[in-house]
Amino acid sequence: MLLLLPMFSLAESPTYRGRLAPSPTGYLHLGHARTFWIAQERAAVAGGALILRSDDLDRTRCRAEFSAAMVEDLRWLGLRWSEGPDVGGPHAPYTQSERMPHYRAAFEKLRALGAIYTCHCSRQDVLRALGAPHAGDDEPVYPGTCRPAGGANDEWRMTNDEVNWRFRVPDGETISFTDGALGSHAEIVGRDFGDFLVWRKDGLPSYQLACVVDDAAMGITEVVRGADLLTSTCRQLLLYRTLELVAPVFYHCPLMTDVDGVRLAKRDAATSLRALRAAGATPDGLRARF
Ligand code: GLU
């Protein structure tokens, strides 16, 4: 019998597809650079492809100048991708604001399944109902103000588009997965996160929905991103399951902090790649700090 041996080493996977998914809401900083560098290395070790996607759905914060700077900074650092907004590819477009029909289709499926319901609460309403200031940037656990008693609600038949939509989570269930960097991770639904937004009243999908739709459509097999998104990964696993999409595996990089232990953020100009470069930093010098 003829035994066909694969032409690649065991570590290689010809189907590996990773992605860089920055949001052009500011200049990229050292933390992004490190996460993206790890993403590139993991794709290289697996002999796979790396794609660039521009997550530009936040209309109020995304700017064209940041998109251009993003590509320039990534290239300066030494990152290379084989598909992306600037080079095209089989899954184009690679810019989220040009992919609305994909998000609409997923939204319609969730609606048809009765998995989502309309919600009139603003973020302020949610925080007020919780009666406590919310620490951190993450979506607070929704107190259920608009959640219908059973199944989904039918209100959408009477409303126009200007309403938020939330995904009804299965309270009490444990969502667990094995992270490539951090090992096993588990969160309890309803305690660690609650019903989350999938569609906003401004007519745009939430990050959770857009991310799942695109990672699945683009055939991403491993998502490398910051550990601040661990809870989002649990939310997204629920969306993959409900939409019957194949979930990738995940690798969450520990977050970079400054000398005072504070997480790096886009608003801190000092650690932006631009500022570091202007101050004489080289790509090799920065990579040595990762
Ligand atoms: N655009 C998102 C961000 O910059 C992507 C997060 C992700 O990798 O899923 O936070």
Side-chain angles (χ1 to χ4, degrees):
M1 191 167 88
L2 183 67
L3 191 64
L4 289 177
L5 291 173
M7 298 295 289
F8 46 88
S9 77
L10 278 182
E12 284 182 351
S13 150
T15 55
Y16 182 103
R17 284 174 62 80
R19 48 58 155 196
L20 313 172
S23 294
T25 53
Y27 295 120
L28 298 179
H29 60 62
L30 209 49
H32 299 114
R34 187 183 62 168
T35 300
F36 294 155
W37 191 258
I38 294 171
Q40 174 159 284
E41 296 212 306
R42 290 189 63 78
V45 165
L50 189 64
I51 71 167
L52 175 66
R53 184 177 78 225
S54 177
D55 285 5
D56 67 339
L57 287 177
D58 187 342
R59 275 184 198 148
T60 53
R61 291 168 63 222
C62 289
R63 300 222 302 258
E65 68 176 278
F66 293 141
S67 295
M70 185 174 89
V71 170
E72 193 190 299
D73 290 349
L74 292 173
R75 286 201 184 281
W76 172 76
L77 190 71
L79 289 160
R80 300 289 178 263
W81 46 92
S82 52
E83 298 169 35
D86 53 338
V87 291
H91 300 282
Y94 293 89
T95 299
Q96 287 197 321
S97 57
E98 296 167 19
R99 299 181 56 80
M100 286 303 286
H102 296 268
Y103 312 136
R104 264 279 163 205
F107 167 76
E108 292 302 343
K109 182 164 180 182
L110 290 174
R111 190 162 80 172
L113 289 167
I116 55 177
Y117 61 88
T118 53
C119 175
H120 299 277
C121 301
S122 66
R123 189 176 158 88
Q124 283 315 313
D125 294 335
V126 172
L127 293 177
R128 223 174 292 124
L130 291 171
H134 176 68
D137 302 333
D138 203 20
E139 196 169 329
V141 177
Y142 183 62
T145 319
C146 294
R147 187 195 243 210
N153 60 8
D154 241 6
E155 192 190 358
W156 64 273
R157 292 182 202 282
M158 296 168 282
T159 62
N160 57 24
D161 241 353
E162 290 175 8
V163 66
N164 294 311
W165 289 81
R166 282 183 193 276
F167 182 87
R168 186 192 183 99
V169 297
D171 288 327
E173 192 180 323
T174 300
I175 303 293
S176 57
F177 64 95
T178 303
D179 186 77
L182 306 174
S184 50
H185 181 80
E187 297 199 18
I188 297 177
V189 180
R191 187 196 73 179
D192 297 326
F193 65 94
D195 293 352
F196 56 89
L197 286 176
V198 292
W199 204 270
R200 294 178 203 290
K201 61 180 177 193
D202 60 5
L204 291 171
S206 69
Y207 155 68
Q208 313 295 351
L209 183 64
C211 183
V212 164
V213 167
D214 286 346
D215 284 337
M218 294 175 180
I220 301 303
T221 60
E222 181 177 77
V223 167
V224 176
R225 58 187 174 198
D228 54 327
L229 291 167
L230 274 164
T231 299
S232 282
T233 295
C234 294
R235 296 184 182 103
Q236 291 174 17
L237 286 169
L238 286 172
L239 286 178
Y240 280 106
R241 187 172 80 189
T242 308
L243 290 166
E244 297 176 296
L245 297 169
V246 178
V249 294
F250 295 91
Y251 187 102
H252 290 86
C253 306
L255 299 179
M256 265 184 120
T257 53
D258 65 14
V259 283
D260 301 318
V262 178
R263 196 176 125 194
L264 301 187
K266 277 184 183 147
R267 54 188 172 273
D268 309 326
T271 59
S272 79
L273 295 183
R274 309 238 119 185
L276 293 165
R277 181 177 170 184
T282 61
D284 281 347
L286 290 189
R287 290 198 299 260
R289 290 169 64 180
F290 292 165

